[in-house]
Each structure stands twice: as C-alpha cells, then as structure tokens.
Amino acid sequence: MEKTAATRRQFLIGSLTGASSLWLAAQWPAILEAHQYARLAGSAASPAPFEFFTASQAAEVEAMAAQIIPTDNSPGAREAGVIHFIDRALTTFDRDQQAPYVQGLKDLAARTRALFPQAGKFSELPAAEQVQVLTAMEKTPFFDRVRLHTIMGFLANPEYGGNHDKMGWKLIGFTDEYAYQPPFGYYDKNQ
C-alpha cells in the first residue's frame, strides 16, 4: 500500500513538473520580452510611454495613488512612479482589470461631479477634496483595485515599472542584496 502511494505522489510531481516546464517553454518569449521592457523602462531617463492609459486617465489614477500613499516627509506613490507599474500591470498580468478600470474612471468622474459640480477632473481638485471623493468611493471594487496596485507598485521590484530609485524599499528598510549574511534579524544578533 505504501509503495502505491509513493508511486502516485511521484507521478503527480512528475506531471506537474512536466506541465510547468511546458508552460514555461511556451511563455518564455513573452517572459523575456516583459523582462526586457521593464529593464529598459526602469533604466530610461524619461518614463516609458503608457500602453493602456491615455495621458488623462493616467493623471486621474496617479492622483488617486498619490492620495493612497501621499508625499509627506518621505516620497509617495507619485515619486515612486506607481502609475507606470499600474499601466504595465493592466497590459500584462492583470489584463482582465482593463474594463473595470475604464468603468471605475467613469465612476470617479461622476462622483467628482456629484460632490463638486464646479470641478473639472478629480486630478485638478485640491487634496482635501480628493480625499472626500475617495472616502465616498473607498468601499468600491475599483478603489480596492487601485489601492492594491498602488501598494504593489510602491513595493515591487523597480524592474516592473514602479518603486523608482527603490523608494518603497528604503521606506520599509528592505535591503536589496543577492545573499544575506547572519545575523538575519535582531533575534539572532546575540546568539
């Protein structure tokens, strides 16, 4: 009985390894292309052009992100280039969120006009009024998605389009090292 279980386990592991290898082989050109794009975008003097957002849409989402992680004594989402991460996410791994983003931006404009009829665009509102609009939207799936993407872009590897100059990592004290030397944490230091 034990020998049969081990054989099944080995079969399943072998099957998954084979399927993973096939998937990786099939996706390899796209993975290399995405990595190369991110590397060039991260090292370019000027930011890469938007692939999903229009300039106007990018300004609106960037204003939202700047309220989610604001600039104070330390850099915020705007300085970290989070908008470029979000744009890249919507053309790669989170493509299925494109339609919700388009609808969410329409909802943002409608909410802005409802609360501040004299306002043109959300991004043109003063910070206090932007916070009011976002507070009114904070329980929506769109706001949740923008918040998630903002945090991801602020803390992700800079090669993926956000976290410019490793600002997010510096803020949380993360050191970008290939291998870490002991002590690994304060609890190891005196042992």
Side-chain angles (χ1 to χ4, degrees):
M1 183 82 171
E2 188 64 35
K3 184 171 173 136
T4 305
T7 304
R8 280 189 201 141
R9 188 175 301 122
Q10 289 171 346
F11 173 76
L12 287 173
I13 290 171
S15 297
L16 291 174
T17 303
S20 297
S21 297
L22 288 173
W23 179 86
L24 185 61
Q27 300 300 322
W28 191 248
I31 292 168
L32 286 177
E33 180 185 340
H35 183 69
Q36 182 66 15
Y37 172 86
R39 181 169 294 212
L40 291 174
S43 65
S46 61
F50 294 114
E51 293 184 4
F52 174 71
F53 292 126
T54 65
S56 178
Q57 290 172 328
E60 297 297 279
V61 174
E62 184 177 49
M64 289 180 72
Q67 291 302 329
I68 294 168
I69 303 179
T71 303
D72 48 22
N73 295 336
S74 57
R78 185 170 277 133
E79 292 80 12
V82 165
I83 188 62
H84 296 286
F85 172 85
I86 296 171
D87 183 68
R88 190 68 181 154
L90 293 173
T91 59
T92 56
F93 71 88
D94 224 358
R95 226 176 256 156
D96 61 329
Q97 292 300 313
Q98 288 180 354
Y101 256 84
V102 170
Q103 183 59 49
L105 286 167
K106 290 176 185 175
D107 296 343
L108 176 68
R111 186 73 59 130
T112 299
R113 282 191 304 275
L115 291 173
F116 303 101
Q118 78 289 358
K121 294 171 34 176
F122 172 79
S123 58
E124 296 169 351
L125 291 173
E129 292 178 358
Q130 286 181 352
V131 170
Q132 283 182 281
V133 173
L134 293 180
T135 300
M137 295 183 68
E138 71 182 336
K139 299 214 185 305
T140 64
F142 174 61
F143 180 82
D144 284 343
R145 180 57 54 182
V146 174
R147 179 177 47 211
L148 176 65
H149 280 157
T150 298
I151 294 167
M152 288 171 67
F154 193 73
L155 298 173
N157 188 326
E159 289 185 355
Y160 304 137
N163 195 9
H164 176 71
D165 199 26
K166 301 178 184 177
M167 290 176 189
W169 290 354
K170 291 173 186 173
L171 188 67
I172 63 170
F174 176 75
T175 55
D176 183 24
E177 296 182 25
Y178 180 69
Y180 296 93
Q181 300 297 318
F184 298 114
Y186 69 91
Y187 48 84
D188 294 316
K189 193 172 191 175
N190 297 322
Q191 292 185 12

